[in-house]
Amino acid sequence: GNLQRQAGRWYIIPDGSTMHAPILIDDPGAKRVKVGDQVVVEVVSFPTDRAPARGVIVKALGPAGEPGVDALSIIEQFQLPGEFSEPALAQARQMVASFKPEKSSEGRLDLRDLTIITIDPTDAKDFDDAISLTRDERGMWELGVHIADVAHFVPEGGPLDLEARERANSVYLPGMVIPMLPEVLSNGVCSLQEGEPRLTKSVFITFDQHGVVKKSAFANSVFQSTKRLTYEQASAALDGKPGRMSAKVLALLHDMDQLARIIQQRRLKHGMLTLHLPDNELVFDDMGRAIDVVPEDTSFSHTIIEMFMVEANEAVARHIHQKGIRTLRRIHESSTKLQDGTLRRLVKFLGHELPGHATHHDLQNLLEAVKGRDEAFA
């Protein structure tokens, strides 16, 4: 919370929504803090009808609004993990030291002759997925989605594995990442960096000219990224401004664009909903201060990667299902939820119509009708 002083008394205004009432502090001097500082407080007694909450400052984070202090506050508030344990770091270093591309590649499908690229945001620290795409004389496409084989570097049951399970995922804050694995792995041998031999899990999906899946295959593989592109570079190249991009990378990009549009059309035909939800990104200066807010880039190059990743996920899900392996998955509720009339009443209030038993195609038509209008977000 934020340290304040009024009428000779020190108190904390808590962040978040757990507590709203100020917390009285008896001795702020012990931590050398001043008014306006962000602090971590331990509550000694909770508020009652007669008395306010009381607490003790256990950590000073710095002046509110200073670069990095907000992130520290969030880390403390949500008890996000800090440094990695020494055994986990030691094992990570050991796994990196033992990685010898030629030896580690034995028994893997070698894709180093393929043209394979990554497309990521400009500020991406690590590159997890890469794309290859070929087409045969019959017009059949073979899409390759290649994901960093992180499991190769995390021995089951070891310190790295236990630490990763505890963390469950990486946490992304503006301008910083709290990784699930030490950065010597996540930003190093597990990052699909341009020109470096990397170990991957690959899924190969064969599509016909209408974007219908004909078959899928899987492999442990080794490859070398031909080119690391940003979304902006990919978009510019597809718009006819490739810069100094090689002919084979440019040809791959155009093929990716073509296949993604075919898949998108197939998905739209089957009722896929596209929600245009506004998203913004913070812009920071060199000192880490937020200096601007800009709309997120929504160019088609994002959709290309999104389409291919969903296809890869579905291929893996089908494979697991066919093998009879029980697995957790996230689902979207069926449209029976639409039948209670709530959405129909809202839509009518905003001047539109929705049938009583609305289908996905009815929802597509509705979303298309409000595109760019004031009520679109609602």
Side-chain angles (χ1 to χ4, degrees):
N2 196 264
L3 183 64
Q4 298 294 322
R5 189 176 190 194
Q6 195 171 350
R9 303 184 83 179
W10 293 88
Y11 59 94
I12 303 291
I13 305 294
D15 290 341
S17 56
T18 308
M19 283 184 74
H20 299 285
I23 303 165
L24 282 181
I25 300 296
D26 292 325
D27 182 19
K31 288 291 177 187
R32 299 189 178 186
V33 289
K34 50 190 183 295
V35 169
D37 280 0
Q38 283 288 103
V39 297
V40 181
V41 63
E42 187 166 321
V43 177
V44 176
S45 62
F46 285 89
T48 65
D49 292 343
R50 296 188 184 85
R54 302 191 85 91
V56 176
I57 294 172
V58 293
K59 194 186 285 187
L61 302 178
E66 282 292 303
V69 173
D70 282 351
L72 289 175
S73 298
I74 290 167
I75 289 166
E76 292 289 344
Q77 189 179 339
F78 292 96
Q79 299 179 327
L80 298 176
E83 297 298 317
F84 284 89
S85 68
E86 198 44 54
L89 287 171
Q91 189 177 37
R93 293 187 199 108
Q94 177 197 335
M95 296 309 292
V96 171
S98 65
F99 173 58
K100 303 285 184 285
E102 288 316 314
K103 191 165 187 339
S104 303
S105 304
E106 287 172 10
R108 286 178 173 262
L109 180 64
D110 196 332
L111 305 173
R112 281 175 281 196
D113 289 339
L114 267 185
T115 302
I116 301 181
I117 62 173
T118 61
I119 308 180
D120 290 277
T122 309
D123 57 357
K125 303 287 188 296
D126 50 63
F127 316 110
D128 305 325
D129 43 70
I131 300 294
S132 62
L133 183 59
T134 55
R135 199 174 187 186
D136 67 18
E137 62 286 348
R138 295 173 301 147
M140 302 285 273
W141 303 87
E142 185 178 78
L143 170 69
V145 178
H146 315 280
I147 309 290
D149 189 356
V150 179
H152 178 86
F153 297 94
V154 183
E156 192 172 346
L160 268 178
D161 183 28
L162 298 179
E163 179 99 35
R165 291 187 204 193
E166 198 65 38
R167 291 177 178 238
N169 48 260
S170 298
V171 179
Y172 293 85
L173 297 168
M176 74 177 288
V177 180
I178 301 171
M180 187 178 77
L181 293 170
E183 285 172 317
V184 69
L185 287 177
S186 58
N187 288 2
V189 289
C190 294
S191 180
L192 308 181
Q193 294 155 346
E194 185 179 319
E196 298 291 337
R198 290 292 182 252
L199 307 183
T200 41
K201 299 278 189 194
S202 294
V203 52
F204 298 95
I205 310 165
T206 303
F207 299 91
D208 67 13
Q209 48 270 64
H210 305 295
V212 175
V213 177
K214 291 301 176 185
K215 61 178 181 178
S216 303
F218 304 88
N220 290 319
S221 53
V222 56
F223 90 103
Q224 208 156 296
S225 171
T226 312
K227 186 72 181 163
R228 183 244 154 156
L229 294 176
T230 65
Y231 283 113
E232 289 79 3
Q233 287 172 319
S235 297
L238 290 170
D239 288 340
K241 298 184 280 287
R244 296 169 65 184
M245 194 176 290
S246 73
K248 61 183 182 179
V249 169
L250 186 58
L252 171 58
L253 259 183
H254 280 290
D255 281 348
M256 287 167 61
D257 180 71
Q258 192 180 342
L259 177 60
R261 290 178 192 278
I262 292 169
I263 293 171
Q264 186 185 44
Q265 285 310 307
R266 184 200 82 209
R267 290 185 165 275
L268 287 169
K269 207 164 100 183
H270 292 159
M272 175 182 77
L273 300 179
T274 306
L275 301 176
H276 299 281
L277 300 175
D279 224 336
N280 296 303
E281 291 179 348
L282 295 174
V283 180
F284 294 91
D285 65 11
D286 293 341
M287 302 297 291
R289 286 184 292 253
I291 53 169
D292 201 0
V293 181
V294 295
E296 187 182 52
D297 176 31
T298 55
S299 57
F300 193 73
S301 55
H302 287 266
T303 304
I304 293 174
I305 298 301
E306 187 184 310
M307 288 291 150
F308 292 169
M309 290 305 143
V310 171
E311 290 295 325
N313 286 341
E314 289 189 354
V316 171
R318 281 193 300 270
H319 182 67
I320 288 173
H321 183 67
Q322 284 159 7
K323 294 282 182 192
I325 299 168
R326 297 175 67 181
T327 179
L328 284 173
R329 62 186 74 189
R330 186 184 73 175
I331 62 164
H332 293 277
E333 301 245 25
S334 73
S335 56
T336 50
K337 285 280 183 191
L338 298 172
Q339 312 310 346
D340 69 359
T342 311
L343 180 61
R344 199 153 41 109
R345 286 194 295 276
L346 171 69
V347 166
K348 191 167 187 178
F349 178 77
L350 294 171
H352 298 273
E353 287 295 328
L354 198 59
H357 293 279
T359 65
H360 276 226
H361 294 291
D362 293 321
L363 292 173
Q364 284 178 330
N365 293 336
L366 173 66
L367 289 167
E368 194 56 41
V370 297
K371 210 170 174 181
R373 294 173 58 149
D374 291 345
E375 67 269 33
F377 184 59

